[in-house]
Amino acid sequence: GAGVSQSPSNKVTEKGKDVELRCDPISGHTALYWYRQRLGQGLEFLIYFQGNSAPDKSGLPSDRFSAERTGESVSTLTIQRTQQEDSAVYLCASSPHLTGTNYGYTFGSGTRLTVV
Amino acid sequence: GNSVTQMEGPVTLSEEAFLTINCTYTATGYPSLFWYVQYPGEGLQLLLKATKADDKGSNKGFEATYRKETTSFHLEKGSVQVSDSAVYFCALLSGAGSYQLTFGKGTKLSVIP
């Protein structure tokens, strides 16, 4: 597609429920990233996918968080047993190469998750 | 570790005023530096970048110069417009093969007519 597409744009869920967030990267972009933006905070790195290599999961805050990506296509971020501190905007980005040094990343509009 | 510190907002300016948003960083090695902008309801967009000391990034009338001696990358614009109202994020990418952007907390700019 023309840009990075994320769905849903907004999600309200009850504490303890599982949620799944989706990201469609730009076609041909081999690298995909998930970031989290909590209110009044900068963006926190969560996870990185590059082609068929093992993902870098070092930013995932707990084992309730997981993410998958098949090849160079769609990625899903799953949060199990949601807690109120999970409330944030979850941003997905993609880039055509391993590093964003020369290209920067293209970000989606994000999914605003509210846990009540 | 790497970190980015931005001036706290919100910043409110009148149209045609001069804008400066300060950004300083701490990083290992020689990072690349970026400014991203997030317009209301949209994703982050790369505004400008600089990859080595003394480089000046520029775009849409905005400029920022990579100052290694002061570890700074301040964003400036000579005459802001209402359409520049957005949240601005300073970020860095550090190390060969690095892919994790480190972001500042963002500065919200409101420009009033």
Side-chain angles (χ1 to χ4, degrees):
Chain A
V4 177
S5 177
Q6 291 188 245
S7 61
S9 55
N10 280 286
K11 176 71 177 179
V12 180
T13 190
E14 291 182 355
K15 179 181 173 181
K17 300 281 190 184
D18 297 352
V19 295
E20 191 172 277
L21 312 180
R22 177 187 169 103
C23 172
D24 278 281
I26 291 174
S27 178
H29 279 194
T30 57
L32 186 147
Y33 318 79
W34 284 97
Y35 282 80
R36 176 171 72 174
Q37 183 181 17
R38 287 191 280 193
L39 189 64
Q41 303 296 314
L43 278 74
E44 304 168 71
F45 168 79
L46 296 178
I47 190 168
Y48 160 75
F49 295 92
Q50 168 61 29
N52 293 316
S53 301
D56 176 357
K57 303 180 182 180
S58 61
L60 294 179
S62 78
D63 59 8
R64 296 186 295 106
F65 287 71
S66 62
E68 294 183 352
R69 186 186 188 198
T70 303
E72 297 179 0
S73 62
V74 170
S75 175
T76 55
L77 176 69
T78 302
I79 308 172
Q80 296 178 309
R81 306 181 303 281
T82 52
Q83 303 295 312
Q84 287 186 327
E85 63 263 26
D86 299 335
S87 296
V89 176
Y90 290 82
L91 290 164
C92 177
S94 68
S95 69
H97 293 276
L98 173 63
T99 71
T101 301
N102 294 316
Y103 297 93
Y105 307 149
T106 302
F107 281 87
S109 299
T111 294
R112 182 175 298 278
L113 175 66
T114 303
V115 182
V116 297
Chain B
N2 299 332
S3 67
V4 175
T5 303
Q6 288 181 237
M7 65 183 289
E8 293 191 15
V11 174
T12 302
L13 295 174
S14 297
E15 206 165 21
E16 298 184 4
F18 185 86
L19 168 72
T20 300
I21 301 178
N22 289 338
C23 171
T24 56
Y25 67 89
T26 302
T28 54
Y30 302 95
S32 295
L33 302 172
F34 305 84
W35 276 100
Y36 281 83
V37 58
Q38 187 174 31
Y39 298 104
E42 299 184 17
L44 273 74
Q45 301 174 24
L46 179 63
L47 179 60
L48 55 83
K49 63 178 172 69
T51 57
K52 61 182 187 295
D54 300 325
D55 268 2
K56 178 185 285 187
S58 61
N59 186 24
K60 299 182 181 179
F62 290 88
E63 292 183 341
T65 301
Y66 187 163
R67 300 287 188 199
K68 187 170 182 294
E69 63 275 14
T70 55
T71 61
S72 65
F73 193 54
H74 304 321
L75 183 68
E76 297 182 334
K77 186 174 186 182
S79 176
V80 293
Q81 304 301 311
V82 172
S83 57
D84 294 326
S85 297
V87 181
Y88 292 82
F89 293 89
C90 186
L92 70 82
L93 199 60
S94 180
S98 177
Y99 48 78
Q100 280 191 37
L101 279 168
T102 300
F103 285 88
K105 292 185 178 181
T107 303
K108 183 176 181 180
L109 170 67
S110 297
V111 181
I112 55 177

